[in-house]
Amino acid sequence: MEVSEELESSLLTQPWASVHFGESAFLVKVCFRDTGYILLISDLSSVWYESADTKAVGQRSKELNKRLTVNVSSFLNHLCNLMCPLLAGQPAPATTFSCNRSASGLILHVKSELSGLPFYWDFHCCPAPLEMVSRHLVRPLIRMNLALQHQVQELISLVLQKDAEIEDYRESGATLSRDRLRTEPFQEETFQQNFMTERLPQIFGAGEGQAFASALQQLYTAVMQQEAKQAQKRQCSEDDADLVSTAEITRDPHSPPPSQEDETTSYRERTTPACSPAQKPRLPAAKAKPKKAKGLFS
């Protein structure tokens, strides 16, 4: 099963969504285009995917929906309209989703309606390659963790500055109009200890289905957009280097070999900076003509 490069590139910036099929929680991301679709799904133990082009979609639609005569683009559009509300946490009431896991993969069943007739679809997902898992899940999570660490440090710095500002007001004689607004000075070490002992159990108690909340989805998309920009810059740099290398290698085979004087000149040009005065030809020094003194009214 080959993955369309265009589809997977579009899938990179799509955030993971937390969904439930029955009592099981999953992470899902999907991308639909006119050329087909690509789906990634994980139960945090395994990751599966399916990439299907228009030919595969048309063949499977005929097998599952023999009473429907709809073109492939309409099938893709209908599937997109069914999956998007599911990922947004608002599945259509007339649509049901279920899945079957096996050693060979996972099948996601969809049952809905199209043009007043029953509509069925099966996503046949196979285990995702390690490179795909790393690209869509592992590396983004590491980058998100780094971004959140920087964010926490900036917030701690801001809180400490606010504490210093409040202390200055107090020393100047300022008082609170409402005593319930009084706070204790921020202690980073105490805060970290309380977070580990009190907040972490609450976070893990919420279950694995809330792995990507709304704010984290936005952060995931922002991180992947930045990675795409960096990849584009690296590609442009590599292309420029290839062009320079090709220009150096390509030479007219009928041109005469460079003379020793040419080689010496070429060597000096390569080793001399572009703005160096050594590249400029030295002109013979001319005698400066004495300038006639000018008076105020001359």
Side-chain angles (χ1 to χ4, degrees):
M1 184 182 300
E2 296 183 358
V3 181
S4 169
E5 188 173 335
E6 177 187 0
L7 275 172
E8 190 179 359
S9 297
S10 301
L11 184 67
L12 277 174
T13 55
Q14 297 295 321
W16 290 91
S18 301
V19 299
H20 283 82
F21 300 132
E23 297 181 355
S24 301
F26 290 88
L27 294 176
V28 180
K29 63 187 313 193
V30 64
C31 179
F32 290 91
R33 291 290 184 269
D34 293 337
T35 56
Y37 68 80
I38 181 171
L39 170 78
L40 265 175
I41 182 170
S42 173
D43 61 355
L44 298 184
S45 295
S46 302
V47 181
W48 304 272
Y49 86 103
E50 184 190 29
S51 177
D53 56 15
T54 53
K55 182 179 179 180
V57 172
Q59 182 177 356
R60 190 177 305 171
S61 63
K62 292 178 181 179
E63 296 173 356
L64 297 175
N65 303 278
K66 297 181 179 179
R67 297 174 59 187
L68 287 173
T69 55
V70 184
N71 56 36
V72 176
S73 60
S74 297
F75 269 102
L76 288 169
N77 184 60
H78 186 60
L79 280 174
C80 181
N81 292 335
L82 295 178
M83 294 296 295
C84 289
L86 172 70
L87 302 185
Q90 300 174 344
T95 305
T96 58
F97 296 88
S98 60
C99 68
N100 294 327
R101 281 174 281 190
S102 64
S104 59
L106 177 144
I107 299 179
L108 176 61
H109 305 281
V110 183
K111 181 180 179 181
S112 183
E113 291 184 358
L114 178 61
S115 301
L117 295 174
F119 173 83
Y120 302 96
W121 189 259
D122 292 339
F123 293 94
H124 294 270
C125 304
C126 62
L130 289 178
E131 195 279 334
M132 179 181 285
V133 176
S134 176
R135 190 179 185 192
H136 287 269
L137 195 57
V138 179
R139 290 206 304 261
L141 288 177
I142 293 175
R143 294 180 182 273
M144 290 170 64
N145 179 59
L146 181 62
L148 290 173
Q149 286 180 352
H150 283 282
Q151 185 183 59
V152 168
Q153 291 302 317
E154 291 183 7
L155 289 174
I156 289 176
S157 177
L158 181 62
V159 170
L160 292 175
Q161 293 177 24
K162 290 294 183 183
D163 278 349
E165 181 181 355
I166 293 172
E167 184 62 25
D168 183 71
Y169 289 148
R170 288 175 179 173
E171 292 177 354
S172 300
T175 57
L176 286 172
S177 60
R178 288 168 288 183
D179 193 65
R180 63 182 178 83
L181 297 178
R182 186 180 303 277
T183 58
E184 295 297 327
F186 178 75
Q187 300 291 335
E188 182 179 354
E189 184 176 354
T190 303
F191 171 79
Q192 296 289 359
Q193 291 177 353
N194 292 338
F195 181 83
M196 297 295 183
T197 58
E198 298 177 8
R199 293 294 297 161
L200 273 184
Q202 298 177 9
I203 294 173
F204 281 92
E208 297 177 345
Q210 301 298 324
F212 276 86
S214 177
L216 290 180
Q217 288 181 332
Q218 297 176 7
L219 178 60
Y220 180 93
T221 301
V223 165
M224 298 311 295
Q225 288 174 346
Q226 289 297 323
E227 183 170 343
K229 291 180 181 179
Q230 294 297 326
Q232 186 176 6
K233 289 181 180 179
R234 290 193 297 269
Q235 184 63 39
C236 291
S237 299
E238 292 176 359
D239 292 343
D240 292 342
D242 291 341
L243 288 175
V244 173
S245 177
T246 303
E248 291 179 351
I249 294 174
T250 304
R251 180 182 295 174
D252 185 3
H254 301 289
S255 61
S259 63
Q260 183 176 0
E261 182 179 356
D262 294 337
E263 290 181 352
T264 304
T265 304
S266 176
Y267 173 78
R268 288 177 180 174
E269 291 177 352
R270 291 196 303 268
T271 56
T272 305
C275 299
S276 172
Q279 284 186 333
K280 299 179 180 179
R282 295 188 178 182
L283 299 177
K287 294 183 180 180
K289 295 182 179 180
K291 294 183 180 180
K292 185 178 179 181
K294 294 183 179 180
L296 182 61
F297 299 101
S298 59

